[in-house]
Amino acid sequence: MVFIPEGKEIHREGALMRCPNGQAASSEEEATVLHKRYISEQFDRLPAVKKESFMSLCCTAPNSFDPSDPSKPTTHGIFQSNSVRLSGRDRLDGAVFPTFCRCNHSCRPNVRHQWRPDLQVLVLIAVSDIRAGEELYVTYNGGEWGDSSDCSTEVRREYLMEHFGFHCMCPLCKEGDNDAGGILADAVRAGLAIEGGGG
């Protein structure tokens, strides 16, 4: 059977669009206006084929559709829904990577991403062995809760609903719903002793 072994690089790509995560401003409202303007200007500079690629991405950010046409996402909404916070010397920027952005979420992903500032590319790396035909999953948590297994299903789902607009039904969340595994893990983390019977 063909598979991708844990630790193997799977994919790398450069950014379709890159923007600073924040703008110097006197208020949060002004910073948002400046951020939207910056994204719009960056979008306007893209060649037609890249504009089409960008506009084909999913849009889940709150208040991210054109008020005059509620079916049309804004460039800001698409950027907010798909951007990845970079790291290292580029940590103040976010960027959109069109292939990576199409990966679905799992709270127990089989790939992770790593920004390579030396190469200016995002790299996808297998975090477990992946069988031929198996879908690649990333986590959308953005580092908000660290290791997904260290956080309750309820907290993960609330975050994903608030930021991405969906109720997670990945295997880890289903386990939290269907058995006491999530409750047991929460209890252990809370320092509660659970004693077994028998003897």
Side-chain angles (χ1 to χ4, degrees):
M1 175 182 348
V2 177
F3 72 97
I4 300 168
E6 179 180 347
K8 181 162 179 68
E9 180 182 315
I10 299 169
H11 176 74
R12 61 173 59 185
E13 70 180 309
L16 174 63
M17 182 187 293
R18 180 172 166 174
C19 298
N21 286 318
Q23 302 287 330
S26 59
S27 69
E28 188 175 326
E29 292 79 21
E30 181 186 6
T32 299
V33 168
L34 293 172
H35 189 58
K36 287 179 178 181
R37 184 180 306 146
Y38 190 93
I39 291 167
S40 180
E41 290 168 356
Q42 292 296 94
F43 177 78
D44 289 344
R45 291 184 181 118
L46 292 174
V49 69
K50 289 188 175 185
K51 284 181 180 177
E52 186 177 330
S53 175
F54 183 85
M55 293 306 292
S56 73
L57 295 172
C58 183
C59 184
T60 60
N63 305 314
S64 57
F65 289 84
D66 186 334
S68 64
D69 181 358
S71 67
K72 182 181 177 189
T74 63
T75 55
H76 179 257
I78 291 173
F79 186 86
Q80 292 299 98
S81 299
N82 294 282
S83 64
V84 174
R85 184 177 296 273
L86 305 181
S87 59
R89 68 176 185 234
D90 301 314
R91 69 186 175 282
L92 300 179
D93 289 353
V96 171
F97 303 88
T99 301
F100 172 76
C101 292
R102 297 188 187 282
C103 289
N104 285 319
H105 165 83
S106 174
C107 294
R108 188 181 291 144
N110 55 10
V111 298
R112 69 175 173 84
H113 68 277
Q114 176 182 341
W115 174 245
R116 291 283 309 269
D118 55 330
L119 301 174
Q120 294 291 294
V121 296
L122 189 77
V123 177
L124 289 183
I125 301 166
V127 295
S128 61
D129 291 342
I130 302 170
R131 294 182 309 272
E134 186 178 345
E135 184 172 352
L136 302 181
Y137 289 102
V138 297
T139 183
Y140 292 176
N141 81 14
E144 294 296 318
W145 60 66
D147 181 359
S148 295
S149 61
D150 290 339
C151 188
S152 73
T153 300
E154 180 182 1
V155 168
R156 292 191 314 270
R157 282 181 168 165
E158 284 175 8
Y159 174 86
L160 293 165
M161 181 59 75
E162 179 182 341
H163 291 88
F164 298 97
F166 71 91
H167 180 80
C168 188
M169 291 300 292
C170 75
L172 186 62
C173 286
K174 285 182 182 179
E175 288 170 16
D177 282 348
N178 296 331
D179 62 34
I183 296 167
L184 177 62
D186 289 343
V188 170
R189 276 190 291 284
L192 302 174
I194 300 175
E195 296 183 25

